[in-house]
Amino acid sequence: MKLEGLSILGQARVKPAGKPNAAINPATGAVIGPDYFWSTTADVDAAAELAAEAFVEFSRWHGKRREGFLKRIAELLEANAAAIVERANQETGLPVARMQGELARTCFQMRQYGEAAASGLCAGARIDHADPNRKPLPKPDLRSMMLPLGPVVVFSASNFPLAYSVAGGDTASAFAAGCPVIVKPHQGHLGTSEIIGLLVQQAARECQAPAGIFSMLYGAGRDVGIALVKHPLVKAVGFTGSRSGGRALMDAAASRPEPIPVYAEMGSINPVFFLSGVMNQKPEELAAGLHGSVTLGVGQFCTNPGLIFVERGSGAKVFLQKLESLIAATAPGTMLTADLCAAYRAGVEKFSQASGVKRLALASADLGPGKAQGGAALFATDAETFLKNHHLMDEVFGPSTLVVQCSSREQILEAAKRLEGQLTATLHGLPEELDANRELLEILATKAGRLVFNGFPTGVEVAHAMTHGGPYPATSDGRSTSVGTRAVDRFLRPVSYQNFPDAALPDELKDSNPLKLARLLNGKLILP
């Protein structure tokens, strides 16, 4: 597969224009060819118009046909796994084993969302039959299902070059919904994006999809990205990244004459609470588990535990000593980009200078030739300082965490109440401690999309029941998730058909159920 550094416009490639940009190896600082050319406003218009044209046909595809398209993308990704993994490793510094696992997850997502479309799970068909004899007024025949919104813009995530990028979860769920996709790739993995984009283009061609079902436009977020969000033919946005980036897209979408939804996952500090009973039983074991979670992937996960609450005591003292020694001995790691590493180091320095905060450990890390080596950091403060300083909830994206030492259960509850919205909240305790801490659990359920018991938040299982979302600012809409089959719902809207003749109804709502879907019939779930 020849890489040309050009954007993808349906089944065509965009002609090069403007100043070329380069992919960089963060470990070595070396430039990786070819040159990449940013898209223009004309390209944005063309991609949006193609997507709108494609939507007319693609929105009519039954779930089974959408499943075939998603399955073919997965097959092509697997057939080209070696090239994808090699390029992703070069552009991100992420280990080969991590890239192989992430590619497997990407393909699993494609198939899972395809199966959800084929089974009727996405359609959500509901039928309420008429009752002409109902008093005082007759009951009409009502049937409803979920229909796709229209063209969706997807922004690739920096920390997931495969699973939440060009053919990642947002793209897969939009396709499963019946929405064409325009991807704005991340500048940190240009070549990886091109390889995968060409494979999605190939799958679309082989499945005889309309040309505009997929496009991919290189460019800066403030230019190409904002232009895509503001384009009147675009109907929804999927984003994974920083709070500032997500807010910019939310504001742009809200300022349109026709506002559109932006489903932005904007990061989280994922608080972990340790109850005294379990802490006194196995403090060193808990410290080792937390250390592994904090430093996993050089801390570059949106579920990295960046805030820890412990109640003072002998167990907590041993825990903190062990955690300090582990953090100090942690080998530095290559971060995704030099800019991200610089931001991480600035965050560490800010916490190091914060009043009332003590830096307990900072693993030494020379910047290295790629200027992207990050060292783990551990900070500690007391509950009084934490409660008085909102900035201590700022995310430091990388392998660092802050331990808040509380003097009482009341302080722990007060700290939990002050938390912003989170992707996850974790509680470690003995089973018999849960009943006495029910109030804490109830508070955390209002703060996070996923509650974890006696585990660590890093690692997001791709399953029907998974929620990867949470109240603002973890996401722009805490009612949604970007993982699990509910992710497809973001790009659908409900439509009811009242008193239509059977022949005029969509197949999903006809009495004969020709697609053999599970449906809600007069309030009861009926399986095919």
Side-chain angles (χ1 to χ4, degrees), residues 207-221:
C207 293
Q208 299 180 321
I213 195 174
F214 174 77
S215 292
M216 185 180 77
L217 302 182
Y218 290 110

Side-chain angles (χ1 to χ4, degrees), residues 40-71:
T40 65
T41 53
D43 300 329
V44 169
D45 287 337
E49 289 167 6
L50 273 175
E53 292 172 7
F55 177 66
V56 176
E57 178 185 338
F58 187 43
S59 63
R60 296 173 182 157
W61 281 22
H62 292 314
K64 196 68 178 176
R65 189 174 179 189
R66 293 176 199 168
E67 180 188 30
F69 174 46
L70 290 164
K71 180 180 177 182

